[in-house]
Amino acid sequence: MPAKGVDDFVDFVGTQINPEKAPLRSNAAAKRPSPSGPLVDPISAFYIFAIVNVLAALYAPIQDCDEVFNYWEPTHYLNHGYGLQTWEYSPEYSIRSWLYIVIHAIIGKIGSLFSAKKSFEFYFIRVMLALICSFCESRLFATISKALNPRVANWFMLVMLFSPGMFHASAAYLPSSFSMYTTMLGMTSFMDWRGGSKTHIGIMWFGIGGIIGWPFSAALVGPFLVEELILASITRDIEIVRRVVDGVVRSGIILVLQVAVDTFFYHKLVVIPWRIVSYNVFSGSGRGPEIFGTEPVDFYIRNLLLNFNVWFVLAICAGPLLILQHVFHADFSTKFTLMRSAFFISPFYMWLAIFSAQAHKEERFMYPAYPFLGLNAAISLHSILGYLGNADPIKLMGMIPARLKFAAVLASVVLAIDVGVLRTLGMVTAYRAPLQIYSALQQLELAKSGEIVCLGKEWYRFPSSFFLPTGTHAKFIQSEFDGLLPGEFNEAKVGFGLFAGTWLIPPGMNDQNIADPGKYFDVSHCTYLVDSYFPSSNGSRLEPNYVLDQQDWDQLQCSRFLETANTSLFGRLFWLPEVSWIPKSAVNDKYEKSAAIAHEIPALKTLVIGAYDALMVEDEKALYGRIFHLMWLPRTIQDSNLFAGKSDHSVFSSAYKLAGMAARADFRLQAMLERTPPFVIGYLKPVLYGLLVWAFSIWLTLRIYKRFLSHSTSRAGTSDLEKPTARRSTKPNSPERPLGEWEPVLFKRPAAEPYPDWNVHNTLPLPYRPFRQGPYHITMGLRTMRWDEWIELDCHYLKFHADKARRIEERGSKCCKTAPEAFDGAIELLEEFCDYLPQRYPSLYRKTLLGMDNIVTGESFNVSERPLVEDPMQMAARMVQDDLAIMFEKPDGQYYLLAGSILLAGFWRLEDKWGMPLSEIHTTGDVPGYKQKLEKGMMSFFRRVQPNGPVLRNNYFIQVDDNLAWSDSIGPEDDDGIGWITAEKNKAIENHWFRSERQSLRRLPRSGGVVFTIRTYFHPVTEIARQPYVPGRLASAIRSWGEDVARYKGRERYQDVLLEYLDARHQEQLDTGLDVTKEEDVRSYPF
């Protein structure tokens, strides 16, 4: 007679053995009725689901880079002001809903109240998602129990608890996971008819999932609606119309809310669900999901076998088994009719067929159908057990001993559970390194705001900016991946309203997966670098093995990661503990060398080989010691000129203090390792999880291990975490640049040589005298610029700096402006200044990790923080003596003034020219000969100028007052109708000043803006007239002006006094022996 446990299990699995025909059952067991309720009550079910789902939230690796870049990064932008941006969030394409992001951002903000760490905010959101999923699962569990059968609910619970697929989907921050939640609530509404039909609530839940989550998931409501309509036609239930309309209206309200939120963020009316469907279905050739990769038709079959093993096979068999049961075993059925059961199981078949037919496939596309898979598998197993539980001795099943049937069923169930658990533990232990490695940046307190963490070939494993210290940004260095990488949300705040990055159009985005060179960052400027290394990889030009570059990088931390190339199929699919009786060929091959982070500080470069390092060694203690070993081997970079000639004792002392702390911590850690078994150290967290889930089958564990090792089967390899499938490139040839569009180019300005013997007090202004003997010709006057000479500073710097500071305080908003669409260009100019000025003028500027410091004035410019403390062009103005302007091309081919700091222009105001195209700027200023002689050439030049082709030009004016910033002689700065007509005529020569401008023009490689630097040189005429040849040549030039030029430069107001004075000075020079024939031998234009 079997033990009581056998009878309990028989009742649990749902067999209905007739006690009169079951001699093996005890009388007590025969008298005990079959259970009418589920294995656990709904509240207990919630707690059980919550335990497993919270563990998933804490330990599950991120499987899909889209989860990071399309959802975690926008959330980080809303909560922290910066983050990475994909093309889907560009207002040009706008196929992602901000309502979905806002919901999670609010949850994250609540989490931030409990801890300042951003990683806590990340896990807080995940845990909340896990609890929401648990609530939905427990609701569906209770409904299945009441509407179908308690035993079906029991099996449904087991499927959902022990499937690797649900482990990842439950806490994933993905619209498909959100749709999975609402699908479960929708199923609950359609399945439970107690208290009347809940069609309207079911439609609402599926509608919410389709609107806020994933539009295609709304299709899952189809079978339920068909069932409702069929039943309504049979019963003549006209109320179905009201319920359907009610559900549609409820969904419509959610759609209106979503449109309102998305319109707020995108600054235009958008209906995101339609845009998603339009792009994925009607986008046409060269666009659509197929450009990101395709998979064979059996992809989902292989994937679901991996993630649900036996449960997937049972789910596929639900339909055939339902038919067979109805035909051959009609007395065993659920409470519902065959038709109703068929409608319940059909959504899974429909979903699998539709998405298997699509070329582009990803694991997450199956998430909304996971509850249906669990339901189908539970129904199938319930049907099979009903057949096996037949105890009629005249039938085959009745002839098999109950103990044997029990053992077979138990072994199969435990096997399915253990396979799922091993797969889950294998994924956690093999692929979780990206979630662990970045902790070194916070634990060692090395990372500071404004520092850069670079990502190369590991870009698609980046777990989001939530794992970086506050103010630390992620950048991409070029790798073999040739698709479109994410950009960055525009971080403009001042003057642009809330969340300007959501509606400002980012540069370099496209919906064709065409690579944008502007997304690449120079590795030499990286503060940290995350990389991986596998012994089977030889590296390449774009993906060198940085881990092996011990000259430039030092290892700081290592974590384990799976190397698939040297791991057996069994080792890739499942986790096995490293114990002596399991062959090392099945385990130790698993982990090889993998990944890294790098840190750069003055005179030190350290590599936090942190992500994913696990060496294959025989000694287990050495293996785990290596994993936990923190290395910081500071080295002075002898060949680096970045910090040449500079020393910072505080930096070195801080660095070595940290190094000493790390060494002491490492010593204590090594001592602890010697006393602690490596098995406990390496797998502490996974073991805790394993003990929890193995409690259901502990007495069979060893037998299942041995049996499975001797009868292992081949399964498809996992691809999602081992290669970046989400964004494969099908890169077409880049078209010719359309008007108004700029493709960022990989150009870096050559490093500038220090200005010889430059001193802020003694270096004289260069003697620009850009005028020639007549006749006067109207030309652009361009000449090539040497990169060293881009910005000119001299002993007048402090005066110019003070004048600019005063002007900013008095008129900053009128003189310094940056349009939202020009913000990136203005930031690029700041970055260029912070790179160039410390190189060219090291005694004035010192480069920092956040920008640069002005050694003389004590100012510190932080160009990395967001928001900036002031307008970026205003900040740039404080750095140089020049006025600055940036022109950007629009689709009409014209270049518009969209960013500028015009503080010392003398004769024109920024607000008069703001937002004007180049041609209008010149025509409204009555520039002589512009239409006839300059416009065509200037437009052509602006169109053709490249980042590697900077040019210079010079001009000159006469001013009859000594005010550098604004010439009061032509009228007050704020008056209308100003001009030379208002100037006093023929003032004394002491009031005449020579004003010369040196203008440089260069194209910014990333934003495509054309930068003007306008450096003014301002001298009394009486001063320059003392220089040989100058008074005669200047008088000749002024007399040669045509009437239009003379009118433009105001000659009529000063010519009598000025020319008389110049002629007199020229005659004096001739009288003292000046030989005019030798002028060209002693000077060259423009000096």
Side-chain angles (χ1 to χ4, degrees):
M1 188 164 55
K4 184 176 184 295
V6 176
D7 293 333
D8 291 341
F9 180 79
V10 170
D11 282 341
F12 167 70
V13 299
T15 57
Q16 302 199 1
I17 299 176
N18 187 335
E20 298 178 357
K21 299 179 181 180
L24 291 179
R25 296 191 65 181
S26 67
N27 291 334
K31 293 178 181 178
R32 179 165 41 83
S34 296
S36 59
L39 181 65
V40 295
D41 61 271
I43 297 298
S44 299
F46 170 78
Y47 289 131
I48 294 172
F49 283 123
I51 289 172
V52 176
N53 291 342
V54 168
L55 286 171
L58 297 177
Y59 300 124
I62 296 177
Q63 286 193 300
D64 196 327
C65 64
D66 275 353
E67 179 179 352
V68 172
F69 298 120
N70 277 328
Y71 307 105
W72 284 113
E73 285 300 314
T75 304
H76 189 274
Y77 169 74
L78 292 188
N79 285 357
H80 299 279
Y82 66 95
L84 299 173
Q85 180 182 24
T86 63
W87 67 269
E88 290 97 321
Y89 284 93
S90 170
E92 293 179 286
Y93 308 106
S94 53
I95 64 171
R96 300 293 181 191
S97 174
W98 280 103
L99 177 59
Y100 179 65
I101 303 300
V102 167
I103 294 172
H104 294 78
I106 293 173
I107 296 174
K109 272 296 183 184
I110 295 173
S112 66
L113 299 177
F114 301 100
S115 175
K117 288 187 177 181
K118 293 192 298 179
S119 58
F120 179 88
E121 187 176 338
F122 173 93
Y123 284 109
F124 186 86
I125 294 174
R126 267 191 153 191
V127 168
M128 291 300 103
L129 293 177
L131 295 178
I132 292 171
C133 183
S134 302
F135 170 79
C136 297
E137 287 175 302
S138 60
R139 288 276 293 134
L140 183 55
F141 167 82
T143 300
I144 293 173
S145 178
K146 295 172 183 177
L148 291 177
N149 190 293
R151 300 180 182 93
V152 174
N154 295 336
W155 293 120
F156 173 81
M157 172 183 280
L158 289 181
V159 174
M160 303 299 274
L161 286 175
F162 298 107
S163 297
M166 276 303 302
F167 185 82
H168 289 291
S170 61
Y173 184 4
L174 288 167
S176 50
S177 285
F178 181 88
S179 297
M180 181 183 71
Y181 306 158
T182 57
T183 292
M184 287 188 276
L185 296 176
M187 292 171 67
T188 298
S189 300
F190 278 108
M191 292 173 67
D192 186 9
W193 279 1
R194 293 174 306 148
S197 176
K198 302 178 179 63
T199 308
H200 56 299
I201 299 177
I203 292 175
M204 179 192 71
W205 283 120
F206 280 102
I208 291 174
I211 294 169
I212 299 179
W214 195 25
F216 299 100
S217 68
L220 288 168
V221 77
F224 293 104
L225 286 179
V226 172
E227 179 207 17
E228 293 276 339
L229 293 174
I230 292 175
L231 291 176
S233 65
I234 294 174
T235 60
R236 301 183 184 278
D237 179 16
I238 62 174
E239 281 293 304
I240 184 65
V241 177
R242 181 192 61 79
R243 293 196 299 270
V244 170
V245 172
D246 187 3
V248 171
V249 170
R250 293 175 186 228
S251 301
I253 293 173
I254 301 300
L255 179 61
V256 170
L257 174 63
Q258 182 191 57
V259 170
V261 171
D262 289 330
T263 299
F264 168 80
F265 281 99
Y266 284 117
H267 280 212
K268 66 177 183 178
L269 184 65
V270 288
V271 182
I272 297 300
W274 163 247
R275 294 181 73 88
I276 293 175
V277 173
S278 176
Y279 177 79
N280 285 277
V281 179
F282 308 111
S283 55
S285 177
R287 290 177 172 83
E290 288 79 9
I291 68 174
F292 300 110
T294 59
E295 299 289 350
V297 70
D298 64 341
F299 172 83
Y300 288 123
I301 295 176
R302 291 183 286 110
N303 181 268
L304 292 173
L305 278 172
L306 277 174
N307 288 320
F308 289 88
N309 55 79
V310 175
W311 309 121
F312 170 66
V313 177
L314 289 171
I316 289 293
C317 294
L321 287 173
L322 187 64
I323 296 173
L324 290 173
Q325 176 183 295
H326 181 73
V327 173
F328 299 106
H329 204 85
D331 61 328
F332 181 85
S333 64
T334 62
K335 299 176 182 178
F336 285 73
T337 65
L338 173 66
M339 182 189 72
R340 188 131 217 258
S341 297
F343 280 116
F344 285 169
I345 67 175
S346 61
F348 175 71
Y349 292 105
M350 178 191 72
W351 192 261
L352 181 62
I354 291 174
F355 282 89
S356 292
Q358 307 304 311
H360 179 62
K361 300 177 178 68
E362 295 192 40
E363 180 180 324
R364 70 178 187 272
F365 293 171
M366 284 290 111
Y367 287 2
Y370 281 359
F372 289 103
L373 186 154
L375 177 61
N376 282 24
I379 291 174
S380 289
L381 189 54
H382 184 63
S383 299
I384 293 172
L385 293 176
Y387 175 68
L388 294 176
N390 192 315
D392 190 342
I394 65 173
K395 294 184 178 180
L396 178 61
M397 284 297 106
M399 299 177 185
I400 302 174
R403 186 186 297 270
L404 182 59
K405 289 189 287 187
F406 164 73
V409 171
L410 180 61
S412 300
V413 172
V414 170
L415 177 64
I417 291 174
D418 286 347
V419 168
V421 170
L422 291 173
R423 171 68 178 165
T424 299
L425 291 176
M427 298 291 283
V428 171
T429 56
Y431 299 109
R432 194 168 175 264
L435 293 176
Q436 299 171 316
I437 190 60
Y438 295 86
S439 62
L441 299 178
Q442 297 175 348
Q443 292 173 356
L444 296 179
E445 300 181 352
L446 288 175
K448 300 296 186 295
S449 177
E451 292 184 335
I452 302 300
V453 173
C454 288
L455 307 163
K457 60 177 177 290
E458 292 299 323
W459 68 271
Y460 62 96
R461 292 190 180 116
F462 177 55
S464 83
S465 298
F466 283 96
F467 288 83
L468 302 180
T470 301
T472 302
H473 288 61
K475 302 281 187 181
F476 300 102
I477 60 176
Q478 190 172 12
S479 65
E480 298 291 351
F481 175 73
D482 59 349
L484 180 64
L485 289 167
E488 293 182 272
F489 283 102
N490 197 309
E491 298 171 24
K493 287 188 178 180
V494 179
F496 304 116
L498 293 174
F499 308 117
T502 64
W503 60 269
L504 295 175
I505 297 177
M509 296 297 187
N510 64 79
D511 61 349
Q512 297 174 282
N513 202 26
I514 302 173
D516 172 26
K519 305 291 192 300
Y520 301 138
F521 192 73
D522 189 344
V523 68
S524 65
H525 294 167
C526 298
T527 315
Y528 299 89
L529 172 66
V530 178
D531 196 38
S532 63
Y533 167 69
F534 299 96
S536 59
S537 173
N538 296 323
S540 65
R541 183 181 66 84
L542 293 179
E543 295 182 356
N545 291 321
Y546 293 104
V547 175
L548 302 181
D549 182 8
Q550 297 183 4
Q551 180 178 356
D552 294 330
W553 303 101
D554 285 340
Q555 300 184 10
L556 186 61
Q557 178 173 314
C558 304
S559 296
R560 300 162 60 96
F561 197 79
L562 183 77
E563 183 188 19
T564 58
N566 293 330
T567 305
S568 65
L569 178 63
F570 188 84
R572 294 201 304 271
L573 297 183
F574 306 108
W575 173 83
L576 290 178
E578 298 179 37
V579 293
S580 59
W581 51 271
I582 296 181
K584 287 188 178 292
S585 60
V587 182
N588 279 359
D589 288 358
K590 249 178 123 169
Y591 298 100
E592 294 290 338
K593 223 174 178 173
S594 190
I597 302 178
H599 178 222
E600 178 189 47
I601 57 177
L604 297 176
K605 259 189 182 178
T606 51
L607 180 72
V608 184
I609 297 289
Y612 349 122
D613 178 8
L615 298 176
M616 181 182 69
V617 293
E618 291 299 323
D619 179 35
E620 291 181 347
K621 185 175 294 186
L623 169 63
Y624 292 100
R626 174 65 171 176
I627 293 168
F628 281 82
H629 187 61
L630 297 177
M631 292 176 290
W632 189 353
L633 308 176
R635 267 186 290 275
T636 302
I637 307 302
Q638 301 294 340
D639 57 346
S640 172
N641 62 8
L642 183 60
F643 304 98
K646 297 189 287 279
S647 176
D648 191 335
H649 175 74
S650 63
V651 169
F652 283 99
S653 61
S654 298
Y656 284 108
K657 280 183 180 179
L658 287 173
M661 292 169 59
R664 290 191 296 272
D666 181 66
F667 177 78
R668 292 193 295 267
L669 194 55
Q670 291 292 344
M672 182 184 70
L673 288 173
E674 293 178 359
R675 300 190 302 267
T676 308
F679 177 84
V680 176
I681 295 174
Y683 291 111
L684 182 58
K685 293 178 182 178
V687 164
L688 292 176
Y689 177 70
L691 291 175
L692 175 67
V693 296
W694 281 18
F696 292 87
S697 56
I698 191 63
W699 65 281
L700 277 179
T701 299
L702 296 179
R703 293 183 183 179
I704 297 301
Y705 271 147
K706 293 180 180 179
R707 185 182 309 168
F708 202 77
L709 285 173
S710 59
H711 298 90
S712 60
T713 57
S714 176
R715 294 186 184 274
T718 180
S719 61
D720 297 271
L721 293 176
E722 297 168 5
K723 59 180 180 179
T725 60
R727 294 179 178 273
R728 291 177 185 164
S729 174
T730 53
K731 181 180 177 181
N733 293 328
S734 298
E736 183 179 358
R737 181 169 74 88
L739 295 176
E741 295 185 13
W742 171 257
E743 292 289 337
V745 298
L746 288 174
F747 171 78
K748 180 173 176 56
R749 174 191 52 79
E753 293 293 329
Y755 193 110
D757 301 322
W758 189 88
N759 185 282
V760 72
H761 302 293
N762 302 326
T763 300
L764 296 176
L766 294 177
Y768 287 108
R769 308 293 182 259
F771 44 84
R772 294 185 172 95
Q773 299 281 351
Y776 182 84
H777 301 285
I778 298 177
T779 65
M780 290 178 63
L782 300 178
R783 65 184 187 277
T784 301
M785 182 188 83
R786 292 180 62 246
W787 282 110
D788 287 353
E789 301 170 353
W790 180 30
I791 300 296
E792 293 183 350
L793 305 179
D794 51 47
C795 61
H796 291 171
Y797 170 81
L798 292 177
K799 178 183 183 303
F800 275 62
H801 186 273
D803 286 348
K804 283 191 171 187
R806 174 180 53 81
R807 295 275 289 172
I808 288 173
E809 183 176 357
E810 295 173 353
R811 310 176 57 87
S813 61
K814 295 182 178 181
C815 298
C816 302
K817 295 183 179 182
T818 305
E821 60 268 39
F823 186 82
D824 183 63
I827 293 296
E828 186 178 6
L829 178 61
L830 281 176
E831 294 170 351
E832 285 286 318
F833 279 170
C834 290
D835 188 46
Y836 171 86
L837 292 173
Q839 294 173 356
R840 186 63 169 167
Y841 304 101
S843 63
L844 178 62
Y845 285 111
R846 177 177 58 241
K847 187 175 178 62
T848 68
L849 293 175
L850 302 179
M852 67 179 180
D853 292 339
N854 189 316
I855 301 171
V856 175
T857 67
E859 294 169 294
S860 183
F861 297 102
N862 185 337
V863 303
S864 300
E865 66 178 341
R866 298 295 183 271
L868 292 175
V869 297
E870 59 184 337
D871 182 278
M873 294 304 293
Q874 186 168 294
M875 181 180 290
R878 299 181 190 273
M879 299 176 175
V880 295
Q881 292 177 242
D882 307 60
D883 281 334
L884 305 166
I886 312 180
M887 312 287 291
F888 291 88
E889 187 184 39
K890 290 190 175 183
D892 60 1
Q894 287 266 29
Y895 277 77
Y896 290 76
L897 177 56
L898 299 179
S901 55
I902 307 299
L903 295 162
L904 308 175
F907 293 105
W908 67 283
R909 302 170 295 202
L910 177 63
E911 54 189 334
D912 293 338
K913 309 297 182 180
W914 179 252
M916 286 186 179
L918 187 67
S919 57
E920 188 176 354
I921 289 174
H922 287 81
T923 55
T924 56
D926 295 324
V927 175
Y930 177 76
K931 281 291 184 182
Q932 300 83 0
K933 299 181 179 180
L934 297 178
E935 183 176 36
K936 184 176 180 180
M938 192 173 294
M939 295 299 295
S940 176
F941 167 78
F942 269 74
R943 179 70 179 165
R944 292 182 292 105
V945 64
Q946 294 298 312
N948 61 352
V951 297
L952 290 171
R953 67 181 301 270
N954 291 76
N955 60 24
Y956 66 98
F957 300 89
I958 301 298
Q959 183 173 324
V960 290
D961 59 71
D962 61 356
N963 194 336
L964 171 66
W966 177 257
S967 178
D968 295 323
S969 59
I970 65 172
E973 189 170 1
D974 291 319
D975 281 8
D976 296 327
I978 56 175
W980 278 107
I981 190 66
T982 64
E984 180 181 346
K985 189 174 183 179
N986 291 328
K987 296 174 71 174
I989 192 61
E990 289 77 16
N991 296 310
H992 288 61
W993 287 67
F994 176 75
R995 187 184 190 100
S996 173
E997 291 180 349
R998 174 192 181 268
Q999 301 175 359
S1000 77
L1001 292 84
R1002 57 165 294 195
R1003 173 89 71 177
L1004 296 174
R1006 186 176 75 220
S1007 63
V1010 177
V1011 176
F1012 282 78
T1013 67
I1014 308 166
R1015 169 62 203 281
T1016 299
Y1017 293 83
F1018 199 53
H1019 305 280
V1021 168
T1022 55
E1023 175 185 309
I1024 67 169
R1026 291 195 292 267
Q1027 298 167 349
Y1029 304 106
V1030 167
R1033 190 170 75 251
L1034 179 57
S1036 173
I1038 293 174
R1039 287 188 173 95
S1040 70
W1041 294 345
E1043 287 302 317
D1044 53 350
V1045 176
R1047 184 169 54 254
Y1048 176 69
K1049 296 194 176 190
R1051 185 177 64 184
E1052 187 265 341
R1053 314 307 291 179
Y1054 52 75
Q1055 62 179 348
D1056 295 343
V1057 172
L1058 177 61
L1059 291 177
E1060 179 182 358
Y1061 176 79
L1062 293 176
D1063 289 342
R1065 298 287 78 74
H1066 178 61
Q1067 186 59 49
E1068 289 177 0
Q1069 292 181 0
L1070 293 176
D1071 293 343
T1072 57
L1074 182 72
D1075 186 352
V1076 295
T1077 63
K1078 295 183 179 180
E1079 179 178 358
E1080 296 305 318
D1081 296 336
V1082 298
R1083 69 167 294 271
S1084 61
Y1085 184 87
F1087 300 102

